[in-house]
């Protein structure tokens, strides 16, 4: 929640930057709650600053948010028990109407779940350099000031991070093509069609399940298909609808009583599903803003 007042010119100046600052912090930290905390801390620092000394407001605030986010990342690294490596980034779930042409643009422009998971594997300095430069076009000399490094050293950090990101990236299908593959998967799962599931799953598909007792990873089409048919056989889902989950095609299922059962996100490459993220943790589902059942 913002503590700024719309009648306050200092507050208005900050509010004009808030959405961008929140986006920077979220991509740095993978958590909306942490991003909000960082932006609020940036506001407190800004409100105590003599604004007459700030010549580039956007740059000053980005630097502050970058420094606070870097401190959070380093704190996580220093305290393994507080690490976010065993959890998934927060979910942004929106209705997928499947018909609007701008949907494809939204898919292409979003920083999806897959990238956020990759960013979790980067060191704090690498993540800062990559996010600020590659996603928000902050010059290397400004990033270097945050890190206490030269522009050349910062450029090398970003380059190393970029190589790690590209090593895990594979070109994805267009939005509608992705949806068709996902729909084929869901239809085969509902029918209990094991062979049909194998046709749309990459042999090395990775299923990540976020449950109340932790994150479980299942590898391989055979195991993933067997799990999908078993869940359908259990018959716990009553309703469901297509959604976008952090920009990826997905699906939400609800129980008969209207309680959310699961949120799934799919990554499709060359006509096959290479990754599935499934959130079944009731607490996380309850805290996620979900659309109404279809």
């Amino acid at each position: 929640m913002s503590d700024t007042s719309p009648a306050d010119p200092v507050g208005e100046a900050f509010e004009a930057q808030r959405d961008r600052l929140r986006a920077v912090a979220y991509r740095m930290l993978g958590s909306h709650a942490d991003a909000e905390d960082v932006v609020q801390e940036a506001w407190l620092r800004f409100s105590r600053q003599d604004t007459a000394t700030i010549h580039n407001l956007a740059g000053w605030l980005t630097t502050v948010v970058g420094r606070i986010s870097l401190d959070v990342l380093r704190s996580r690294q220093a305290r393994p028990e507080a690490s976010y490596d065993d959890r998934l980034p927060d979910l942004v779930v929106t209705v997928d109407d499947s018909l609007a042409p701008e949907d494809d643009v939204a898919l292409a422009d979003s920083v999806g779940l897959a990238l956020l998971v990759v960013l979790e594997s980067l060191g704090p300095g690498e993540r800062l350099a990559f996010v600020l430069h590659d996603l928000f076009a902050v010059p290397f000399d400004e990033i270097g000031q945050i890190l206490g490094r030269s522009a050349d050293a910062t450029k090398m950090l970003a380059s190393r991070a970029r190589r790690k990101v590209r090593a895990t990236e594979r070109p994805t299908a267009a939005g509608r093509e992705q949806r068709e593959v996902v729909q084929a998967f869901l239809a085969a799962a509902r029918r209990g069609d094991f062979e049909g599931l194998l046709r749309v799953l990459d042999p090395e598909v990775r299923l990540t399940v976020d449950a109340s007792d932790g994150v479980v990873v299942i590898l391989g089409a055979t195991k993933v298909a067997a799990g999908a048919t078993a869940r359908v056989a259990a018959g716990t889902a009553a309703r469901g609808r297509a959604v976008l989950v952090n920009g990826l095609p997905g699906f939400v299922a609800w129980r008969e009583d209207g309680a959310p059962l699961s949120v799934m996100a799919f990554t499709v490459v060359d006509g096959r599903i290479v990754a599935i993220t499934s959130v079944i943790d009731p607490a996380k589902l309850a805290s996620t803003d979900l659309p109404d059942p279809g």
Side-chain angles (χ1 to χ4, degrees):
M1 181 180 294
S2 168
D3 291 335
T4 63
S5 166
D8 174 13
V10 174
E12 286 181 348
F14 185 85
E15 286 303 316
Q17 300 288 328
R18 181 179 287 273
D19 287 346
R20 187 181 60 83
L21 297 175
R22 188 187 295 117
V24 170
Y26 175 56
R27 283 151 180 79
M28 282 290 297
L29 302 174
S31 163
H32 289 293
D34 286 352
E36 289 288 356
D37 288 345
V38 165
V39 172
Q40 196 60 25
E41 175 63 23
W43 158 247
L44 292 175
R45 296 188 187 187
F46 177 62
S47 64
R48 296 193 293 262
Q49 183 75 18
D50 178 4
T51 56
T53 65
I54 301 175
H55 305 297
N56 177 356
L57 178 61
W60 189 92
L61 288 171
T62 301
T63 297
V64 170
V65 165
R67 283 180 174 149
I68 300 170
S69 298
L70 187 63
D71 288 343
V72 174
L73 289 175
R74 286 171 172 166
S75 176
R76 289 180 188 173
Q77 194 175 57
R79 296 182 293 115
E81 70 278 7
S83 173
Y84 278 38
D85 290 345
D86 63 348
R87 49 151 283 177
L88 297 171
D90 292 340
L91 304 179
V92 178
V93 181
T94 54
V95 175
D96 182 5
D97 294 326
S98 299
L99 297 175
E102 60 270 18
D103 284 353
D104 288 344
V105 177
L107 276 171
D109 287 349
S110 67
V111 175
L113 183 62
L115 177 57
L116 286 171
V117 171
V118 173
L119 291 180
E120 289 289 344
S121 69
L122 302 180
E126 291 175 335
R127 187 161 181 167
L128 181 81
F130 177 81
V131 167
L132 291 187
H133 182 267
D134 286 40
L135 302 185
F136 293 95
V138 177
F140 283 121
D141 57 345
E142 294 181 20
I143 302 171
Q145 291 174 14
I146 300 173
L147 291 170
R149 300 187 178 214
S150 67
D152 287 342
T154 303
K155 189 179 298 185
M156 289 178 64
L157 272 179
S159 178
R160 191 163 65 223
R162 199 176 301 121
R163 284 196 300 271
K164 290 181 180 180
V165 170
R166 286 175 179 168
T168 60
E169 283 182 338
R170 296 165 69 184
T172 57
R176 283 174 179 73
E177 203 176 322
Q178 291 187 38
R179 295 185 188 93
E180 290 171 1
V181 174
V182 170
Q183 288 166 3
F185 171 87
L186 295 171
R190 282 191 291 268
R191 296 192 306 267
D193 181 359
F194 188 79
E195 294 299 324
L197 288 168
L198 292 181
R199 281 194 292 272
V200 295
L201 291 171
D202 185 89
E204 299 178 0
V205 62
R206 177 187 181 96
L207 168 63
T208 304
V209 181
D210 189 351
S212 56
D213 55 352
V215 175
V216 177
V217 176
I218 300 169
L219 300 175
T222 302
K223 290 183 178 179
V224 171
T229 53
R231 283 190 295 274
V232 171
T236 51
R239 287 172 290 177
R241 71 181 303 174
V243 294
L244 295 177
V245 182
N246 295 44
L248 296 173
F251 190 79
V252 181
W254 288 268
R255 300 181 191 276
E256 189 65 46
D257 62 3
L261 176 65
S262 65
V263 173
M264 302 179 74
F266 300 83
T267 301
V268 179
V269 175
D270 297 331
R272 288 196 171 188
I273 296 168
V274 299
I276 304 172
T277 299
S278 177
V279 177
I280 60 174
D281 177 7
K284 189 161 187 177
L285 291 172
S287 66
T288 301
D289 186 13
L290 298 175
D292 295 328

